[in-house]
Amino acid sequence: MQSTTMSSAGVSATVCRRQGGFKAAMRGQAVAQQHHARAGRSSLRVVARDFPKPDFEKEKTFQEMAAISAAVKAAPRPKEPLTVVIAGAGLAGLSTAKYLVDAGHKPIVLEARDVLGGKVAAWKDEDGDWYETGLHIFFGAYPNLMNLFKELNIEDRLQWKQHSMIFAVRDSPGEFSRFDFPDLPAPPNGIVAILRNNQMLSWPEKIQFALGLLPAIVYGQPYVEAQDDKTVTEWMVKQGVPARVNDEVFIAMAKALNFIDPDELSMICVLIALNRFLQERHGSKMAFLDGCPPERLCQPMVDYVTARGGEVRMKAGIKNIELNEDGSVKQYNLLSGESITADLYVSAVPVDIFKRLLPAPWYQQQFFSKLDKLVGVPVINIHIWFDRKLTTVDHLLFSRSPLLSVYADMSTTCREYFDTERSMLELVFAPAEKWIGRPDEEIIAATMKELENLFPTEIAADGSKAQIRKYKVVKTPLSVYKTVPECEPCRPTQRTPIRNFYLAGDYTKQRYLASMEGATFSGKLCAQAIAEDWNTSAVKPSQPAKEKALA
């Protein structure tokens, strides 16, 4: 067994690996890899087919994001570029840097680890196989990311799948229920998809569910944000939505959106997703990246930034934020002993890390002290390489199991991991709070029991059918912030009360909550705020303010 621990300022991912048969792995014995014959499986047909890129350019949300990109790029040029130091090379930090160079400035991105991506980080094992922090899906309802892919000229790296949502059927092992969206405008395409599925909800339940969602469809974002004080289950009772909707739909959605159950999750999270799916023609379409995010998405952002005068420094973790007498930032002090000064400073690290770096004088302000409400949720991502090809679907699948959220056979869905002979399942284990501290062997054993229900003819919990060649368990104790009720008022804007300090991150104020879209959008908003505040300013941020920043 080989075991390593990777950490970044208190957020860690524990990775374990064991090769050989499953039963032997559970005993801790070293067993040579075996390649089993696939006798009797000649009828298996795995069809991997990508679909054309959706026509996003006509969507209002896409055009809104394109307009923000254009406004940042067209901002008046500063007399001289400002040096902006950004902590964190995840999607939020790299997005901030990308749009800052568009606005005419020089960003310097500092990353504590030796890998790009933050919450979308990935690593290679000894065999050259990638394993990732999470199972990352790109929705059509991510207009900022769709713009970013276009601006970086990497749209061809998204592998779009059939416009469907596929759920495992409860109490019917091996069966799945599909919501297939016809090629119609929204919301008719979503309505037809729901009405055509008679496995999960009865007609009376569909009608009651639709009536419950009607206010969100009619009143839009103001209504959605007003539901932040209710959990999903509390909202259901208030709206008269049948309990079976929770069992059949919301449990799976809650675990996919925020890795927790509906009795904890704020309804704002579910309504934001449903609103986008119901109001945008391509909103619920899904795409897989054609490889690992650090190489296929983050590196192009780095290349874009460095080609325009910016910098990205790895293994440059921040020890603390040192202040001037007026409460503004004097410099970032690094773990290496080096100090970095700049015109402006940005924190694009996760909220739990930022709270540890937060200078004591700033905590006196409610803007910063209210961040205590925002706490990362634990999540576990699992990769299992099998000795044979499983009967699979070229799509994301909602497991609807007690322990698993979503999963996919990456050997079918993704070009980088494509394998016609053997499957590699990537699975999200959630909720993970009670499991994050358990041994990897226990987590894999529990996962195999769940997979036995999903693949009853091919996988057995005792390992007597498909054999595990190897596995990786990636534990993230503090992932995206836990979207429980009353979090929305605690989310900070990208502008802070500190004149030379800004924030980016999926926890900051933007409409897409804790997601890849939220992270990249926050970076764009951060860069936009800096351009608006300083591109035409007659003074530099380094000049003393007339009043103390903490006044």
Side-chain angles (χ1 to χ4, degrees):
M1 174 174 172
Q2 300 170 347
S3 178
T4 59
T5 299
M6 291 156 289
S7 63
S8 175
V11 176
S12 66
T14 302
V15 184
C16 297
R17 180 180 188 273
R18 205 186 291 273
Q19 290 187 324
F22 178 72
K23 289 186 286 186
M26 294 300 99
R27 295 195 302 267
Q29 299 177 2
V31 176
Q33 294 184 25
Q34 299 177 1
H35 300 282
H36 297 267
R38 296 165 64 223
R41 297 177 59 80
S42 59
S43 62
L44 175 62
R45 293 290 184 270
V46 176
V47 178
R49 176 191 172 194
D50 293 338
F51 287 71
K53 179 187 78 68
D55 186 11
F56 295 117
E57 286 78 4
K58 296 177 182 178
E59 295 284 355
K60 180 181 177 182
T61 52
F62 182 94
Q63 294 170 0
E64 289 174 350
M65 294 301 170
I68 296 176
S69 294
V72 170
K73 211 162 192 176
R77 297 296 91 175
K79 291 182 179 180
E80 58 181 274
L82 297 178
T83 300
V84 185
V85 175
I86 303 165
L91 292 180
L94 293 176
S95 175
T96 303
K98 188 271 182 195
Y99 291 105
L100 279 175
V101 296
D102 284 348
H105 297 296
K106 180 185 177 180
I108 300 175
V109 182
L110 307 176
E111 171 54 45
R113 299 188 291 184
D114 61 355
V115 60
L116 298 168
K119 298 188 188 79
V120 300
W123 301 266
K124 272 188 177 180
D125 70 8
E126 304 90 307
D127 303 320
D129 292 321
W130 286 100
Y131 56 99
E132 304 181 15
T133 311
L135 177 51
H136 307 294
I137 299 297
F138 296 80
F139 282 95
Y142 285 175
N144 182 70
L145 271 166
M146 296 306 107
N147 269 278
L148 181 62
F149 273 87
K150 184 174 183 177
E151 292 162 19
L152 296 173
N153 195 30
I154 57 171
E155 289 178 287
D156 60 343
R157 298 185 181 187
L158 288 174
Q159 294 182 249
W160 290 98
K161 305 304 177 182
Q162 185 176 3
H163 197 176
S164 302
M165 300 186 82
I166 308 173
F167 294 75
V169 176
R170 285 158 49 89
D171 304 321
S172 296
E175 292 187 21
F176 295 87
S177 182
R178 303 176 63 103
F179 290 90
D180 293 317
F181 292 72
D183 188 19
L184 296 171
N189 62 349
I191 294 172
V192 171
I194 293 171
L195 294 180
R196 288 197 305 200
N197 183 302
N198 294 313
Q199 288 179 285
M200 293 174 66
L201 298 175
S202 66
W203 275 93
E205 288 166 339
K206 291 177 185 178
I207 293 171
Q208 288 175 279
F209 186 20
L211 291 175
L213 289 175
L214 197 57
I217 297 171
V218 173
Y219 300 112
Q221 193 70 14
Y223 173 85
V224 170
E225 293 185 4
Q227 308 314 303
D228 181 49
D229 62 342
K230 305 174 188 67
T231 65
V232 174
T233 49
E234 288 170 345
W235 177 88
M236 288 178 59
V237 172
K238 181 177 180 294
Q239 295 298 112
V241 176
R244 274 198 71 232
V245 174
N246 187 58
D247 297 337
E248 300 295 327
V249 179
F250 281 157
I251 290 177
M253 283 195 68
K255 295 203 294 183
L257 290 169
N258 200 238
F259 314 127
I260 57 177
D261 285 320
D263 57 353
E264 287 190 281
L265 184 67
S266 170
M267 190 61 193
I268 189 176
C269 190
V270 172
L271 287 178
I272 283 176
L274 287 176
N275 227 22
R276 296 274 64 84
F277 293 168
L278 291 172
Q279 303 217 19
E280 297 178 22
R281 182 173 192 151
H282 308 293
S284 54
K285 282 186 179 178
M286 303 180 209
F288 287 76
L289 195 60
D290 66 357
C292 73
E295 281 195 348
R296 305 301 288 167
L297 173 56
C298 298
Q299 189 59 47
M301 297 170 76
V302 171
D303 294 341
Y304 186 99
V305 169
T306 55
R308 291 159 179 79
E311 298 178 36
V312 178
R313 303 180 188 178
M314 308 304 290
K315 296 184 178 180
I318 294 178
K319 179 181 180 181
N320 59 48
I321 301 172
E322 188 173 335
L323 305 183
N324 293 306
E325 289 185 6
D326 68 352
S328 61
V329 179
K330 178 180 180 180
Q331 60 192 26
Y332 279 175
N333 296 321
L334 306 188
L335 294 169
S336 64
E338 180 187 1
S339 295
I340 294 185
T341 59
D343 296 306
L344 295 172
Y345 301 82
V346 175
S347 171
V349 298
V351 63
D352 296 285
I353 297 178
F354 175 62
K355 287 188 291 186
R356 294 178 188 137
L357 295 172
L358 187 66
W362 290 2
Y363 192 76
Q364 300 169 18
Q365 300 186 73
Q366 187 183 21
F367 181 91
F368 294 108
S369 63
K370 67 184 181 181
L371 295 178
D372 285 346
K373 173 78 172 179
L374 306 180
V375 179
V377 63
V379 67
I380 300 172
N381 201 53
I382 298 171
H383 298 68
I384 303 179
W385 286 263
F386 287 96
D387 67 342
R388 65 194 69 182
K389 193 71 174 178
L390 303 171
T391 304
T392 190
V393 178
D394 184 17
H395 216 294
L396 179 77
L397 300 166
F398 293 83
S399 74
R400 302 175 74 231
S401 83
L403 298 179
L404 303 178
S405 170
V406 293
Y407 72 95
D409 187 339
M410 300 298 282
S411 69
T412 296
T413 61
C414 177
R415 278 192 285 271
E416 174 76 24
Y417 312 135
F418 190 74
D419 189 336
T420 59
E421 298 298 319
R422 299 181 295 188
S423 287
M424 188 275 275
L425 297 186
E426 186 171 350
L427 314 102
V428 179
F429 195 104
E433 187 173 0
K434 296 179 181 179
W435 288 84
I436 198 77
R438 296 196 189 184
D440 295 346
E441 290 84 358
E442 289 186 21
I443 294 170
I444 291 296
T447 301
M448 287 293 285
K449 288 181 180 178
E450 299 301 318
L451 289 178
E452 185 176 55
N453 288 327
L454 296 170
F455 299 87
T457 64
E458 299 171 282
I459 294 178
D462 62 3
S464 60
K465 295 179 181 178
Q467 297 288 302
I468 293 179
R469 294 170 47 230
K470 62 180 179 180
Y471 66 81
K472 292 285 187 181
V473 177
V474 183
K475 299 175 180 177
T476 306
L478 298 170
S479 182
V480 296
Y481 76 92
K482 194 174 184 179
T483 313
V484 296
E486 307 288 0
C487 275
E488 197 64 19
C490 301
R491 299 174 67 204
T493 57
Q494 289 75 38
R495 280 188 183 91
T496 78
I498 312 304
R499 69 190 300 268
N500 66 343
F501 182 76
Y502 294 77
L503 291 173
D506 57 18
Y507 70 95
T508 61
K509 190 71 174 178
Q510 38 73 28
R511 72 183 78 164
Y512 293 98
L513 301 182
S515 62
M516 293 187 294
E517 174 71 3
T520 51
F521 188 28
S522 76
K524 180 185 285 188
L525 292 176
C526 181
Q528 182 183 40
I530 289 172
E532 291 173 350
D533 292 347
W534 298 104
N535 276 33
T536 59
S537 176
V539 299
K540 294 193 70 173
S542 55
Q543 293 179 255
K546 292 182 179 179
E547 297 180 6
K548 287 189 176 183
L550 294 176

